[in-house]
Structures are given as C-alpha cells and as structure tokens.
Amino acid sequence: MEKERVSKEITPQGQDFSQWYLDVVLKAEMADYGPVKGCMIIRPYGYAVWEHMQADMDRRIKETGHVNAYFPLFIPKSYLEKEKEHVAGFSPECAWVTIGGGEELEEPMAIRPTSEAMICSMYAKWVHSWRDLPVLINQWANIVRWEKVTRPFLRTTEFLWQEGHTLHATAQEAHEETLKMLLVYRDFCEEMLAMPVVWGQKSESEKFAGAHKTYAIEALMSDGKALQAGTSHDLGQHFSTAYEIEYLDKNQERARPWSTSWGTSTRLIGGLIMTHGDDAGLLLPPKVAPYQVVIVPIPPRKGDWSEAVLPRSREVMASLRRAGVRVHLDDRDNQQPGFKYADWEMRGVPLRLELGPKDIEKDQCVLVRRDTREKSFVPLAQTPARVRELLDAIQQNLLERARQYLAEHTTQARSWDDFKAVMADRRGFLLAGWCGDAACEASIKEETKATIRVQPLDREPVPGSCIRCGRPSPAEVYFAQAY
Ligand SMILES: [Zn+2]
C-alpha cells in the first residue's frame, strides 16, 4: 500500500519522460528550484553525489599533471571582447554587472560564462620564457549563462564545473592535451558513473566559440536522446594571440603558445539520473551514491524495537563503516518498513539491508539490490564482505546495462527515409555519412531535430555518401537528438 503511494508520485517514464525526470530530481531531493528562473538549489543529497564525483575527477585531473587555482567571477567587458568569435558566441547569454556600491561602474563586468578571457589575460602576465611552459591549471567554479529554457542539472543559468586552461609550446602538444583530457572524461564517466560514451570531434557549427577544434564525449539517455557530457577544446593560437601571450623560446625568439580548455559540470548529474533511473525513481551507481547501503530495521510485532533490533542494526552499521561502506540507518519510528523500502528505492540507494527479529534469531540479514531487486540472506558475520561484493557487482551491472543500451541504440542509417523514421521513433545514435556542408547539417536538424554529435574518433572512418544529399562523405558521423 505505502509502496504504491510513494511510486505513484513519480510519473512513469513511458508516459512523460521529462516529467519523470523532474519528479525524480525533486522527490529524491537532488535539487529544488530557486527564486531566480533557471537557478537551482543543489540539496544535500544531490550535493553529496557531486562531492563524490568532484573528488574523483579532481584526483584524475591532478594525476595528469594539473594544479588547481581560482580566478575572479567578474570579467571586465573589454577583456571578453578581445577574442571576436568568443565574445560573439557568449554575449547573448552573459549576465552583466553595471552597478557596484551604489554607483554605475565605468566598465560593465560579465559574470563569467567561462574563464578563457580572465585566465588568458593572467597568463599574458605570467608567461615570459619557454621555461614557463607548459601551464597546466584547473579551476573549480560556478558559471552563469542566461539560458532561455532551463531544466535542473541539464541546463541551468548557474552551474558548477571545472575548467582546465593550459598553454603549450607546440601545436602537437596542445592537441595531445586536448585528447588526453577527453579520455580522462570518458574514463571517469564509465568508471564512476557507469555511463558509457561515444567520443570525437564537433562539427564547425557545434564547436566552442573561438576554438580551433572542439572534441566531446556524448552519452545516450534512456529516452534515446544524447547528452553532451564533457568537452575539450584545442584553441590553437586564437586566444594567445588575442590576449597577447608571448614568450622567448629556446632560441631567444618571440613565440606564441598554443592553448586548450576543457570542462565538465553538474550536468553530469542529469546524465546519471537519465542513464540509470527507472519508474521507481533514481538508481545511483555505488561509487557516487551518498548512501551505498540503507539499513531498514524491522520492529517486532510485539515489544520494543530498541531491545534487540535497533542495537543489532547499529552494530551492523558500525561493521559496514569499518569496511569503508557509506551506510545509513533509517531509524525513523514514524514510518513502516514498506514505506522506507519504497522511499530509498526512489532515492536510488544501491543496496537495502533489512534486519528483523527473525533474522536476528538466525544471525542473518536480508540484502536487496536496487538494480535487479534480487534478495539474498547473508550471515551477519559475512555481511561486510558480501556488501562490498554486491556493490561492485551493481556498479558493473549498471555499466553493462548502459553499454548494451548504447549498442542497441546505435544503428546505421540506410537511407534518408530510414533516418527520419528512426529519429521519429526510437531515436538513439545514427551513424550516417555527411558531406561536410553546413547546409545539409542544418536541413537535417530542421527536419528531424537531430544534430551531429561528433565525428567519431572511437572507430575507423568509413567513407560513403551524405545521408541528405548523396554527395561523397569522408567519414560517418554520429547523429542524435540531444539535450
Ligand atoms: Zn550533404
């Protein structure tokens, strides 16, 4: 009964996927709406997920030789205007500060929509010699982009991210850095979020404003739409020229460095939700779950649960904590076990541990997996080891499931009619030829809402003909409708 009451509050995916998403975000207390449109509050449960993601990503960024720094939130207008394509790309979504301390400012300041302008201006001051290269700096920060249509985590006016900004002595080194970080992102998504991705290069129309080349990882959500999950930009010498970064090379000649930038954001949380969630709610991979296990003590029919059930539950909790498991004991005495089961299922806790008077008699507990609903009885002494095994198995199973979904929803478009039919129905990634003409790309988008996600680097180029116009195509590209 109570189980039904909880799940009824979440719209089934098949009925309305976007409503399902919003229901999950709000009911699982991942986020809430703030007073300013498009600005979300990341609630403690959602923020804990972010903290686990952030800690692991930060480790990977540092392991690849980068260091963290922090740059100002306000960017003077004249700084932003130095790179023409960049400012043209970002102006429409900039928020400007024009008054400070009650007085109109001499120069308006943008609230950072990204930090190339600020960081490159500082690099111009810091870099003088070939000995100063490479510069490998990352920043964790908040970003503001004035979005018209917003959705929690996926597209918000303010969001959290990391942005790497590097300088290199050669074009080759910058190119290698760009791809290195793209693969760091790919591995992070697979290993932590159990979210497989395809990866490759963006077309001209989809590349970052001011970039030489943009690369991206793209994940496939369970409604068949793609989500850009991280980008890495080879900026060439565009920014070092615009911001006048110059140094003396080994021959004492003036040279310009090559730069890159790369970022991932709280958007990944949206990807996580839409990759694994189901009609019961959220389903979190153990590696980022705030609670990997929730203990639900079952009170005796007669008598007091504080006599045996609660003390034993606390012992089990302590033994799991010692084993490095993130565990929560649900000792709310105003809710029935059935309500708690559904509640934690909805919040996506990977493993539930039930402990009742009969279990205590048998010196065992019940473990229930969120992903398969599989139930097992485990002797209490073996519980920590068994829990660790199951958490690993769940993490692995989620990745396998998502990989299978990605494989099943990545198909070859045989003809333009076939392309349109797939995009109108099950969607997913469609591999198809493209002549390279932006007009074809635009007309495909117009008719099917599908865009070129990436020109793949994870498979050999297959020459053929353009799916739209029939002219020669140097390689197949991934098309999808996207968030
Ligand atoms: Zn074409």
Side-chain angles (χ1 to χ4, degrees):
M1 290 285 280
E2 279 140 345
K3 184 169 181 167
E4 272 172 41
R5 202 178 67 216
V6 172
S7 56
K8 261 183 199 157
E9 293 172 5
I10 290 176
T11 308
Q13 289 186 333
Q15 187 183 316
D16 182 346
F17 193 84
S18 11
Q19 191 56 50
W20 168 84
Y21 176 78
L22 292 176
D23 287 351
V24 169
V25 166
L26 297 173
K27 302 268 160 61
E29 299 182 351
M30 294 291 281
D32 203 352
Y33 298 113
V36 176
K37 185 183 161 288
C39 293
M40 63 174 171
I41 288 99
I42 306 177
R43 298 187 67 174
Y45 195 63
Y47 201 76
V49 173
W50 177 241
E51 284 179 313
H52 291 302
M53 291 166 61
Q54 193 185 29
D56 187 77
M57 182 67 90
D58 196 60
R59 175 183 66 77
R60 290 171 196 257
I61 288 170
K62 285 172 180 162
E63 275 175 10
T64 41
H66 305 86
V67 288
N68 285 339
Y70 185 78
F71 294 83
L73 170 73
F74 301 119
I75 303 177
K77 188 166 188 242
S78 57
Y79 279 50
L80 206 57
E81 283 173 342
K82 283 182 184 170
E83 216 290 339
K84 297 246 162 355
E85 280 179 45
H86 189 60
V87 69
F90 280 101
S91 279
E93 41 191 60
C94 263
W96 295 97
V97 177
T98 56
I99 294 174
E103 284 172 35
E104 188 146 338
L105 302 174
E106 275 178 36
E107 183 182 0
M109 295 181 302
I111 299 177
R112 67 180 155 223
T114 179
S115 299
E116 279 76 8
M118 172 59 68
I119 294 181
C120 288
S121 302
M122 297 315 298
Y123 286 174
K125 197 172 156 187
W126 296 342
V127 173
H128 305 289
S129 147
W130 61 272
R131 289 188 184 84
D132 298 328
L133 297 178
V135 177
L136 305 171
I137 290 180
N138 176 65
Q139 149 163 283
W140 289 96
N142 58 340
I143 287 293
V144 167
R145 294 179 188 170
W146 220 258
E147 299 280 1
K148 290 197 177 68
V149 182
T150 60
R151 213 176 323 200
F153 297 115
L154 295 172
R155 198 170 289 276
T156 47
T157 299
E158 182 186 8
F159 57 90
L160 305 182
W161 82 349
Q162 60 70 214
E163 49 180 326
H165 295 271
T166 69
L167 293 182
H168 307 268
T170 66
Q172 178 62 25
E173 220 184 277
H175 177 70
E176 283 166 12
E177 165 81 5
T178 310
L179 292 184
K180 180 201 279 178
M181 297 319 290
L182 190 71
L183 297 187
V184 165
Y185 290 163
R186 178 199 64 182
D187 294 348
F188 170 84
C189 285
E190 295 199 349
E191 292 163 18
M192 290 297 288
L193 309 183
M195 187 170 83
V197 295
V198 299
W199 50 285
Q201 192 183 338
K202 287 281 177 190
S203 66
E204 282 296 302
S205 72
E206 298 268 334
K207 83 176 187 191
F208 178 75
H212 170 50
K213 286 175 179 171
T214 286
Y215 299 87
I217 53 167
E218 298 269 334
L220 194 62
M221 305 295 98
S222 63
D223 64 343
K225 283 162 95 173
L227 182 81
Q228 180 175 296
T231 51
S232 187
H233 315 291
D234 181 342
L235 302 174
Q237 288 176 308
H238 299 187
F239 284 84
S240 61
T241 304
Y243 292 90
E244 297 170 8
I245 311 173
E246 245 184 25
Y247 68 97
L248 290 178
D249 67 15
K250 285 182 182 171
N251 306 316
Q252 294 301 300
E253 299 198 14
R254 283 147 67 117
R256 288 210 186 284
W258 304 75
S259 68
T260 82
S261 67
W262 26 272
T264 54
S265 71
T266 35
R267 187 166 220 230
L268 285 172
I269 298 175
L272 187 66
I273 297 169
M274 292 194 294
T275 298
H276 304 298
D278 58 24
D279 283 348
L282 201 59
L283 206 180
L284 292 169
K287 286 190 181 171
V288 295
Y291 305 135
Q292 296 168 314
V293 178
V294 162
I295 301 174
V296 179
I298 298 161
R301 283 186 191 281
K302 290 174 191 168
D304 191 352
W305 74 345
S306 62
E307 281 165 18
V309 174
L310 268 188
R312 286 313 291 273
S313 298
R314 291 199 183 103
E315 283 171 31
V316 174
M317 176 166 72
S319 72
L320 287 174
R321 285 216 172 118
R322 280 194 299 273
V325 175
R326 296 192 290 272
V327 54
H328 174 71
L329 171 64
D330 188 350
D331 56 3
R332 289 178 286 182
D333 58 7
N334 59 338
Q335 297 291 359
Q336 294 297 314
F339 174 89
K340 295 178 181 179
Y341 297 167
D343 193 31
W344 292 113
E345 239 171 50
M346 188 264 289
R347 288 161 186 263
V349 174
L351 209 53
R352 177 172 83 231
L353 190 154
E354 305 168 7
L355 190 67
K358 281 183 189 154
D359 300 312
I360 290 173
E361 272 170 31
K362 295 180 193 163
D363 214 24
Q364 66 174 25
C365 69
V366 181
L367 292 174
V368 186
R369 287 171 67 152
R370 170 68 176 85
D371 59 339
T372 59
R373 310 284 163 99
E374 209 178 311
K375 212 172 192 180
S376 51
F377 297 86
V378 181
L380 283 176
Q382 291 166 27
T383 299
R386 188 69 193 129
V387 162
R388 291 239 58 102
E389 277 169 26
L390 282 173
L391 291 175
D392 288 346
I394 294 167
Q395 181 83 26
Q396 190 58 32
N397 180 47
L398 291 182
L399 178 61
E400 291 305 327
R401 268 185 4 189
R403 273 190 181 142
Q404 195 182 341
Y405 179 85
L406 176 65
E408 283 168 4
H409 289 78
T410 302
T411 49
Q412 214 87 19
R414 279 176 229 96
S415 65
W416 176 233
D417 281 342
D418 180 40
F419 189 107
K420 284 191 288 190
V422 173
M423 280 305 160
D425 180 30
R426 68 199 294 262
R427 302 193 280 238
F429 284 120
L430 266 178
L431 276 162
W434 175 52
C435 59
D437 189 341
C440 272
E441 187 184 10
S443 116
I444 291 169
K445 184 177 181 182
E446 171 88 32
E447 284 196 54
T448 66
K449 295 190 201 140
T451 48
I452 296 173
R453 301 321 302 160
V454 285
Q455 303 171 344
L457 292 170
D458 53 1
R459 52 176 77 211
E460 287 296 309
V462 180
S465 54
C466 177
I467 191 73
R468 188 73 190 88
C469 72
R471 283 179 288 175
S473 152
E476 286 184 325
V477 298
Y478 283 110
F479 284 94
Q481 293 176 11
Y483 278 95

